[in-house]
Amino acid sequence: MVIENFIVELTWDSLPERTQQAARLCVLDAIGCAIAGSRSAGLPKLIEKICRHDISGRSPVWGTVYKTELSWSIFFNSHSAAYFDLDDGHRRAQGHPGAAVVPACLAVAQQRNCTAKEFLASVVVGYEVAIRSALVMRALGGPRKGSGGWTTTGVAAAVARLMKLEKQQVKAALGLAEYYAPQATQDRSASYPSDMKEGIPWGAYTGYTAAILAGGGLGAMRPHLSDSPEAEDLGKNYEIENSYFKTYASCRWAHPALDGLKQMLSERGACHTEIEEIRIRTFEKAALMDRHDPEGCMAAVYSIPYAVACFLRNGVLGPAQLSGDMFVNQEISALSKRVRLVVDDDLTYRFPEQCLQKLEVDFKDGTRYVSGLLSAKGDPSDPYSYHELLEKFQSLTENVIGEQWLNVAEFIAEMDGQSVEELVKMLTP
């Protein structure tokens, strides 16, 4: 299909029910992650410093009392959604569409007083274009790009649709987004974790800017996506349905091992103090996360040994476990040093389409636990139930917006013709 036709002509009512349900879950999950991320240690200071440059406005930063101009609220809400690495992802795209697409769509939809249907349709457009842009980018070669390198195009498409741009302007928005997209070198950012978060917030900001510029008449190159076979199934297959969801505050590359350890504890009833050594057979890229004693949240998010040790000690791994007290905990530190990553050629070959690991756990009493082949729950082949995702949403939001969390969840589950203004009002304390 001609990509600009898909972007402009798609309607919410024409989508299959399973696609609509996937979109609602992606919105619920991204908003929950953003509200939790609004409590990250550095965000208030960052917003205050940026706001000194006279960018105050009417667009809210969810979970906070701050309001900024639209482009910066997109940046901050995207930053929050990605912060604890609890946001959704897509296996083939190798990254996270929701943390960029949902904040941008909701901010623009609120500004333009759009209905829920218009907002939800734009989310689907954003995911479909973003994910296919990632596949095009992978095919073009070069250093692997993080999520900010390809979500830019999805955001541009979604915003251009909400702005009701002409088809030629939509195509220009895609071309501008492809060209202006951040470099977002993925392996480098995993090796040296930072608040950049794969460039996701800047990708959201840039995608919005690309649509604005295209609407103003700025021309652009013909986008790669217009000539790619990846765009041929638009309107037939919906990649948003293949999104995965997460319940651990850690890079997805740690999740198969964490699920395996959860199963081991259930079967054996062992305590972390009984463990002598843990060996995780994994794919080569996971070795980028073989670090111990992280000094801050981002280093912890990208540390498989820390994730394993922290989960074993606490039984959970959420935002509360990515705090300063945990980073200096001697039990966690000692256990993390007994975690070894072993690169497995077969698992490397099967990555990224499959994210697989195996566990070998030696206990101090001389016994050993050996798992089978592990994948992470939350993938489309092994999805979380709606109830499980609702529990996640509650755990991420209740301490920020109180009992309002349930009203938000119910609104998203049922929203149709209402204005999204009603939803946005519920996202602040």
Side-chain angles (χ1 to χ4, degrees):
M1 174 182 279
V2 177
I3 190 166
E4 55 268 30
N5 292 350
F6 169 78
I7 293 168
V8 171
E9 296 171 4
L10 179 138
T11 64
W12 176 250
D13 290 333
S14 69
L15 293 171
E17 184 178 349
R18 64 181 181 276
T19 310
Q20 294 182 346
Q21 178 62 8
R24 292 183 191 276
L25 289 177
C26 289
V27 169
L28 179 75
D29 197 70
I31 289 175
C33 292
I35 290 176
S38 73
R39 290 300 186 262
S40 60
L43 186 65
K45 288 184 179 179
L46 177 63
I47 295 175
E48 288 172 6
K49 288 183 179 179
I50 296 294
C51 285
R52 289 176 190 168
H53 297 282
D54 195 26
I55 63 156
S56 60
R58 296 183 298 171
S59 191
V61 180
W62 310 332
T64 78
V65 298
Y66 298 103
K67 291 185 177 181
T68 72
E69 66 178 36
L70 183 62
S71 58
W72 279 107
S73 75
I74 290 172
F75 180 94
F76 290 133
N77 287 325
S78 178
H79 174 80
S80 296
Y83 192 81
F84 289 117
D85 220 316
L86 280 156
D87 47 319
D88 71 10
H90 189 277
R91 177 59 46 220
R92 291 178 64 215
Q94 302 181 50
H96 308 277
V101 170
V102 174
C105 288
L106 189 50
V108 175
Q110 181 200 17
Q111 180 202 47
R112 302 182 71 83
N113 197 28
C114 293
T115 66
K117 283 186 179 182
E118 292 171 320
F119 160 62
L120 289 167
S122 73
V123 169
V124 174
V125 164
Y127 270 73
E128 298 310 307
V129 173
I131 291 165
R132 286 167 175 79
S133 295
L135 301 179
V136 169
M137 189 174 290
R138 307 292 179 212
L140 290 172
R144 290 197 320 144
K145 299 292 193 296
S147 303
W150 48 267
T151 53
T152 306
T153 314
V155 169
V159 172
R161 174 192 168 83
L162 288 167
M163 292 175 61
K164 296 180 168 48
L165 298 188
E166 300 294 331
K167 290 181 180 179
Q168 278 303 114
Q169 294 174 314
V170 170
K171 184 185 288 187
L174 300 182
L176 290 168
E178 284 187 358
Y179 199 79
Y180 290 159
Q183 185 74 7
T185 48
Q186 189 170 31
D187 292 351
R188 183 76 172 176
S189 67
S191 298
Y192 300 94
S194 74
D195 289 339
M196 293 187 308
K197 292 301 298 186
E198 293 191 44
I200 293 173
W202 192 249
Y205 183 103
T206 307
Y208 165 77
T209 303
I212 294 294
L213 291 171
L218 190 65
M221 67 181 190
R222 180 179 175 85
H224 287 287
L225 203 53
S226 291
D227 303 315
S228 171
E230 297 293 351
E232 292 175 359
D233 68 342
L234 282 167
K236 300 175 183 176
N237 298 313
Y238 291 93
E239 289 292 342
I240 194 171
E241 297 174 18
N242 296 319
S243 301
Y244 64 73
F245 297 99
K246 306 165 67 175
T247 58
Y248 305 115
S250 177
C251 176
R252 188 65 166 181
W253 296 353
H255 287 219
L258 294 173
D259 276 351
L261 290 167
K262 184 177 182 180
Q263 181 64 29
M264 180 196 77
L265 294 175
S266 174
E267 293 175 2
R268 184 179 173 113
C271 176
H272 67 278
T273 58
E274 301 172 36
I275 294 173
E276 182 66 35
E277 183 178 80
I278 300 172
R279 292 178 297 282
I280 303 172
R281 303 191 69 84
T282 188
F283 45 92
E284 185 178 19
K285 291 296 182 185
L288 296 171
M289 294 173 51
D290 190 9
R291 59 177 54 85
H292 304 269
D293 291 333
E295 295 181 355
C297 181
M298 288 305 105
V301 161
Y302 290 101
S303 167
I304 292 177
Y306 178 83
V308 165
C310 194
F311 173 75
L312 285 171
R313 180 188 180 274
N314 296 290
V316 293
L317 183 58
Q321 285 69 52
L322 298 177
S323 68
D325 290 344
M326 292 295 174
F327 302 144
V328 296
N329 183 280
Q330 293 304 305
E331 282 187 301
I332 294 174
S333 176
L335 184 54
S336 74
K337 292 179 173 62
R338 298 201 293 274
V339 178
R340 288 180 50 211
L341 303 187
V342 181
V343 174
D344 184 295
D345 290 342
D346 177 59
L347 301 184
T348 298
Y349 175 77
R350 297 165 75 168
F351 181 83
E353 283 76 12
Q354 294 177 289
C355 180
L356 304 172
Q357 292 170 334
K358 297 178 183 178
L359 278 176
E360 296 175 356
V361 182
D362 293 339
F363 291 90
K364 293 177 180 178
D365 64 4
T367 59
R368 175 178 293 177
Y369 176 87
V370 179
S371 76
L373 192 62
L374 301 167
S375 61
K377 188 172 182 180
D379 283 345
S381 60
D382 185 19
Y384 288 111
S385 68
Y386 176 72
H387 180 70
E388 288 172 315
L389 291 175
L390 191 61
E391 285 185 337
K392 173 188 174 181
F393 184 80
Q394 179 182 4
S395 71
L396 295 177
T397 60
E398 189 172 24
N399 69 326
V400 181
I401 59 174
E403 295 180 358
Q404 192 82 304
W405 75 267
L406 184 57
N407 295 332
V408 174
E410 289 177 346
F411 187 96
I412 293 170
E414 300 170 3
M415 64 178 174
D416 195 328
Q418 312 98 308
S419 168
V420 297
E421 181 70 29
E422 299 176 50
L423 173 59
V424 175
K425 286 180 180 178
M426 292 187 279
L427 304 184
T428 53

